[in-house]
Amino acid sequence: MIRNVIGSILALIGATAAVWSPFRVWYDGRHGSDYRIQDLFGGITSNDGGLFTSVLLPMAFAALLTLIGLLLRSRLLVALAGVVVLGFTVLWMVRQGQAAGSLTAGGDGDGLGLGVALAFGGGVLLLLSAALMSGRRALRRRREEPYDEEPPGHVPAAADDWGPYGRDPNGPGPYQGEGRYDARPGDEEEPTRHSRFRRH
């Protein structure tokens, strides 16, 4: 239960970071929402794309997968969301490196920006949350396990306990055998005779 809660929190943080990353600077002062999806496959260009045809699209799709995975408690969907975020981030880094010749990091707006760090960190958090979550199989297995725990104060039955109805006269018993108190075939107790008259 605790693992699912922690995993869900990490997944939500990772999905939020992934969706927020296109609105931050990715490289040389250019936001992630300015990179078109087709540029990731054909090469980075200076043409700006629309908001929903930019890098935001795979990040939003990964966030949707995360929400569905959390609702269904599916580790696979959450892990798939992390792979989508990391995959498109790495693909962008490869294409940007090919276009610029090299990738640099700078704090003054030149080189890699905060958006790349958010996307990369969000993907790592999604994978980590998928590893922490127990998933639906573990929950189903836990529900199918037999309940063998005895209630408090329960005393286990002894070997010679005959139950609430007493000893079975026709069954074996722990004290049967030949002894002075064993009844033998043919032995019958004579009823006690009481006198009508009392002695004064």
Side-chain angles (χ1 to χ4, degrees):
M1 182 65 181
I2 298 179
R3 293 179 57 183
N4 284 332
V5 173
I6 297 177
S8 300
I9 293 175
L10 292 179
L12 291 176
I13 295 175
T16 303
V19 173
W20 188 32
S21 64
F23 300 98
R24 310 300 298 176
V25 174
W26 278 50
Y27 196 78
D28 282 343
R30 191 177 182 184
H31 289 71
S33 57
D34 295 334
Y35 292 95
R36 300 181 303 175
I37 289 293
Q38 55 265 33
D39 291 347
L40 300 182
F41 301 96
I44 300 297
T45 63
S46 58
N47 298 326
D48 294 339
L51 182 61
F52 294 101
T53 59
S54 65
V55 179
L56 176 63
L57 182 61
M59 302 303 173
F61 177 71
L64 180 62
L65 285 179
T66 302
L67 293 178
I68 297 176
L70 293 179
L71 291 176
L72 300 179
R73 292 190 177 182
S74 174
R75 300 173 58 185
L76 180 61
L77 290 179
V78 177
L80 181 59
V83 171
V84 169
V85 173
L86 289 178
F88 276 91
T89 304
V90 172
L91 180 60
W92 173 88
M93 294 177 68
V94 172
R95 293 301 186 184
Q96 183 62 46
Q98 292 175 351
S102 62
L103 292 177
T104 59
D108 54 353
D110 297 333
L112 296 174
L114 179 61
V116 180
L118 288 173
F120 192 82
V124 172
L125 285 179
L126 288 173
L127 293 180
L128 182 60
S129 64
L132 286 177
M133 293 173 60
S134 59
R136 298 182 61 183
R137 293 183 179 179
L139 182 61
R140 188 184 302 114
R141 190 182 307 114
R142 194 178 308 153
R143 290 177 178 177
E144 291 177 356
E145 289 179 355
Y147 185 76
D148 295 333
E149 184 179 354
E150 296 180 352
H154 175 74
V155 180
D160 55 349
D161 188 6
W162 299 103
Y165 300 104
R167 173 178 172 179
D168 185 5
N170 299 324
Y175 300 106
Q176 286 188 356
E178 295 183 359
R180 58 182 300 181
Y181 298 105
D182 294 337
R184 299 180 179 179
D187 294 344
E188 298 180 356
E189 295 183 0
E190 296 182 359
T192 305
R193 298 179 180 179
H194 299 279
S195 176
R196 295 182 179 178
F197 306 97
R198 294 182 179 180
R199 296 180 181 181
H200 298 283

